[in-house]
Each structure stands twice: as structure tokens, then as C-alpha cells.
Amino acid sequence: MAHIFVTGGAGFIGGNFVLDWFATQGAHADGIVNIDKLTYAGNLKTLTPLESDPRHVFSRTDICDRDALDTLFAQYKPRAVVHFAAESHVDRSIHGPAEFIQTNIVGTFTLLEAARAYWNTLDDGDKAAFRFLHVSTDEVFGSLSETDPQFSETTAYAPNSPYSASKAASDHLVRAYHHTYGMPVLTTNCSNNYGPYHFPEKLIPLVIANALGGKPLPIYGDGKNVRDWLYVGDHCAAIREVLARGCLGETYNVGGWNEKTNLEVVHTLCDLLDDMRPKATGSYRDQITFVKDRPGHDRRYAIDARKLERELGWKPAETFETGLRKTVQWYLDNQAWVQDVMSGEYRNWVSKQYAA
Ligand code: NAD
Ligand code: DAU
């Protein structure tokens, strides 16, 4: 059976990608070797539906471990690598950037080196068909003012947090491996995702979990920072398109055409919960609390995703309203998954981040 490698496939987007891959690619889907270190953000429960599916192989491996990667490449001879594995939370990168440098930069470098060594052993046909798809973020472009045009693929990089700086460094390495060694790479830069299996340290799942738990809904600063929200299934579909038909060495911006202030997002979530799981008295909006701002908080992200639509025909299928309703329903139906990830380490993080 042919295989692809997915790194970070026990995390939020990687996990959705793996599940969607088998749901959408039909009976002849390539197998997946899912390479994940299982940090606090990785959760094997996300992959329960694939427990007895022989097409899915899970390997608990750190992408900084070159020997382990070499062994996996030699064993499975993948036709592609889809690279999600990263430290992904901006607030954690502010408290402790070291892990971000290690995984996002050193880890991507190590994975590129292992992939390059393997790629060099392939015959010409397999070499030409091989793909290394690097999943990145719109945060590498920095912050927009209210009136700036959206980020395009040619917007200059200006990362502002340790997280986005480490992702920018990894993007540059991927680009250099194409330019210097001719490796067949592709990069996607996506806006904020939301949907099932999202770890409740990020705004949308945190607000749903806190609302249901009767806790404050913390809004940083004035709540007017803008993000461009995309349903995770749409991101996964975009990655599949770029993997199948993307132009080598190119970057593709992926976004939802859904610019919302954080306050708008939280109000919408409260309204949905008021409708779908009403409280005995009052509205979930009553739990909103303004808290200290994130240091260096980027004001606005917005993606111009026209290249992906023009060249590969991709458009998001979900609107913000349909995607968010589905997401709230998923959290209501999957409280066991949420309770499981909100144990131990999660509680330590919440008391550190929201202490004041
Ligand atoms: P996540 O934090 O939910 O998951 C990351 C996964 O990577 C986890 O399963 C974790 O165990 C694994 N991992 C971490 N360090 C590792 C290491 N050294 N070796 C192997 N595995 C390791 O992240 P996410 O939100 O799913 O993001 C996935 C990717 O998409 C990241 O590269 C992120 O930068 C990018 N991205 C995320 C968003 C978003 O809104 N979440 C938007 C655009 C791009
Ligand atoms: O833009 C893509 C990026 O989106 C990804 O690269 C990151 O991996 C992902 O985490 C996300 O980054 P953000 O920092 O935008 O996401 P987060 O959910 O942490 O925050 C969204 C907005 O909500 C941001 O303006 C900060 C704010 N916020 C967040 C939290 C956790 C709050 O107001 N209160 C909170 O408690």
C-alpha cells in the first residue's frame, strides 16, 4: 500500500486531516503514517475511529529525532509528507519560547533533512512525484490595520510573536530546500481554524468550555482584535487540493473570508449556546469578562485566498454561521473528549495564564 506521512496528526488540524482523508479519499486512499510526539496538544482519542483501520499507522515520534525519522522513511517509503507538527499556541510561546524554536525550527529542519536524504534515494519518477507540504500560518505576515488590504502570497513577512517568528523561520527553510536542492515543496499559510477536536486553550473551544462550566469568558484587551475564521474541514480540503495539484515551490494562502472581532465571535457563541443549551436564568453573555491584553497582540489578520480559488478551484464550503453551529453541537455531544483533555497539564496552564 502507498503511504503518506502526516506529522502532528494527533493534534487539532492534523487529526481532522487524518479523519477526513479516509472519509473523502474512498476505498483506494493511500495509508497514513501518523508521526506525533503526543505533547499536551496531541490526543489519541481524536483518532479512536481509526483504531482498527490497518490503513492508519501511529508512531509516537519526535520530529527532532533524525534516526527515528530515517527508520520510518526507509520502512514506509512515503510518496508525500504533510507537515502539521508544531507548537501552536501564541500565549504559550510568550511564556516559554524554547519549545517553539525546538519543534518549529529545529524539528522542521530535521524533517526536511530526513525527507531530502530519502528523496535522493528515489528513482526519477518517484522523485518527481514526491511532495513535502508544509502547513503554516497567516501570522507570519504580522498585523494589519483596519484599512490595510488582506495578506496575499507576496505580502512581506513580519512575524511578531515567538510562535509566528518560529513558523516564519520554518517557512524560509522549506523555501530554501526547494530553491537550493530542488525539493518538491508546497507551503500553505492559513488563517484561524475552528471546529471539532480543537484544544480548549484557544479562543473558541475555551469560550465554549468555560461557558458550559459557568466560568468567566476572558476577552483580551478591548475585544476588537480581528481574526479571519475558517472551518477546519475547509482547511483540510484546501490542503488536499494543494497536495494533489499545487505548483511546486509555490505558497498558497487559505482563509475563510470571515473577518470577525473577538467580541463578535464570543457574542455569537453565547447566542448559539443560549439557543442550543439555555441556562436556567440569564444569558451566557453575562459571563464575558475583559482581562489583561496579550503582549504584542496582533490587531488584525485577514487572508486574500483568491490564488487558491483561481488556480485550484478551492472555496470554503462552510459559512461562519454554519461552521460555528456545527462546532458548538460537536462540543455539546463530545463532553467526554473535552473533559479528558482538560485534566492535569491543562489546569496548570489555565492557572498560569489567567491568574490575574
Ligand atoms: P495543535 O497544537 O493542536 O497540534 C500540534 C500537534 O503536533 C500535536 O498533536 C502535538 O503532539 C504535535 N507535536 C508537537 N511537537 C511535536 C514534535 N516535536 N514532534 C512530533 N509531533 C509534535 O496544532 P494545530 O492547531 O492543529 O496546528 C497544526 C499546524 O497548523 C501547525 O503547524 C500550525 O502552525 C498550523 N496552523 C494552525 C492554525 C490554527 O488556527 N490552529 C492556523 C493556521 C496554521
Ligand atoms: O491565524 C492563525 C493562528 O490562529 C494559528 O497560526 C495559531 O496556531 C492559532 O493558535 C491561532 O492563533 P491566535 O492567537 O489568533 O488564536 P487564539 O485562539 O489563541 O486567539 C484568537 C484571538 O482571541 C486572539 O486575538 C486572542 C484572543 N483571545 C484568546 C484567548 C485564548 C482572547 O481574547 N481570550 C483568550 O482567552
Side-chain angles (χ1 to χ4, degrees):
M1 176 191 283
H3 281 97
I4 66 167
F5 281 7
V6 171
T7 70
F12 164 46
I13 307 175
N16 274 282
F17 181 83
V18 170
L19 293 171
D20 286 5
W21 179 263
F22 294 116
T24 59
Q25 301 293 288
H28 302 297
D30 287 347
I32 287 181
V33 180
N34 188 342
I35 298 170
D36 197 298
K37 182 182 170 182
L38 294 181
T39 66
Y40 78 92
N43 187 353
L44 282 181
K45 292 231 160 61
T46 300
L47 302 163
T48 306
L50 298 172
E51 238 162 22
S52 53
D53 190 329
R55 298 171 303 173
H56 178 251
V57 177
F58 183 79
S59 171
R60 185 171 194 177
T61 297
D62 186 334
I63 56 162
C64 300
D65 183 344
R66 175 66 194 271
D67 290 345
L69 291 176
D70 285 346
T71 303
L72 288 170
F73 273 108
Q75 185 177 354
Y76 292 100
K77 305 190 182 342
R79 69 163 183 88
V81 175
V82 184
H83 176 35
F84 294 94
E87 288 293 333
S88 69
H89 190 30
V90 174
D91 293 322
R92 285 186 192 251
S93 83
I94 295 167
H95 283 280
E99 282 296 317
F100 289 72
I101 305 306
Q102 185 61 23
T103 286
N104 299 1
I105 306 178
V106 179
T108 300
F109 164 71
T110 308
L111 183 66
L112 278 166
E113 278 292 87
R116 183 166 74 91
Y118 161 72
W119 178 68
N120 276 326
T121 66
L122 299 177
D123 64 31
D124 287 350
D126 287 344
K127 228 173 159 177
F130 185 76
R131 296 289 180 271
F132 185 105
L133 192 155
H134 175 57
V135 179
S136 192
T137 170
D138 60 357
E139 299 203 12
V140 297
F141 300 120
S143 183
L144 297 168
S145 76
E146 223 171 276
T147 52
D148 282 335
Q150 297 139 326
F151 301 130
S152 77
E153 286 78 1
T154 55
T155 302
Y157 274 35
N160 288 320
S161 71
Y163 162 67
S164 53
S166 67
K167 289 297 289 186
S170 67
D171 292 12
H172 292 323
L173 282 169
V174 171
R175 175 192 155 86
Y177 272 60
H178 178 67
H179 192 78
T180 305
Y181 303 116
M183 268 186 70
V185 307
L186 299 151
T187 297
T188 53
N189 292 93
C190 189
S191 62
N192 285 63
N193 285 216
Y194 66 97
Y197 306 108
H198 204 181
F199 194 77
E201 64 185 352
K202 311 280 170 64
L203 180 70
I204 288 180
L206 179 100
V207 163
I208 298 171
N210 281 15
L212 295 173
K215 297 184 185 139
L217 312 182
I219 308 245
Y220 298 163
D222 63 4
K224 295 199 177 131
N225 301 66
V226 171
R227 298 292 183 264
D228 177 353
W229 293 95
L230 178 70
Y231 187 70
V232 64
D234 281 326
H235 187 189
C236 294
I239 291 170
R240 291 195 300 274
E241 284 302 330
V242 174
L243 182 64
R245 297 187 296 117
C247 200
L248 296 186
E250 292 285 313
T251 67
Y252 295 88
N253 279 4
V254 190
W257 306 104
N258 273 315
E259 285 188 55
K260 305 280 176 202
T261 65
N262 293 336
L263 209 46
E264 283 174 311
V265 170
V266 176
H267 281 159
T268 310
L269 284 170
C270 290
D271 297 348
L272 280 168
L273 284 166
D274 284 340
D275 177 38
M276 296 162 82
R277 182 65 59 88
K279 300 213 282 191
T281 52
S283 161
Y284 289 99
R285 287 192 185 210
D286 304 338
Q287 291 167 231
I288 290 175
T289 314
F290 288 87
V291 301
K292 177 167 67 73
D293 208 354
R294 171 185 283 175
H297 196 173
D298 285 337
R299 193 63 174 167
R300 172 177 166 241
Y301 303 143
I303 279 282
D304 176 346
R306 281 177 297 178
K307 176 177 171 181
L308 195 49
E309 181 172 354
R310 195 173 56 242
E311 295 187 7
L312 302 182
W314 174 89
K315 272 199 301 200
E318 299 290 343
T319 64
F320 190 59
E321 289 66 31
T322 59
L324 212 55
R325 183 171 279 276
K326 267 182 157 166
T327 302
V328 171
Q329 190 63 57
W330 187 88
Y331 279 92
L332 290 174
D333 294 343
N334 290 276
Q335 280 299 300
W337 182 93
V338 179
Q339 294 315 320
D340 191 61
V341 299
M342 281 167 66
S343 58
E345 201 279 344
Y346 178 79
R347 277 201 290 273
N348 297 339
W349 165 253
V350 167
S351 52
K352 184 152 123 193
Q353 172 67 3
Y354 300 98

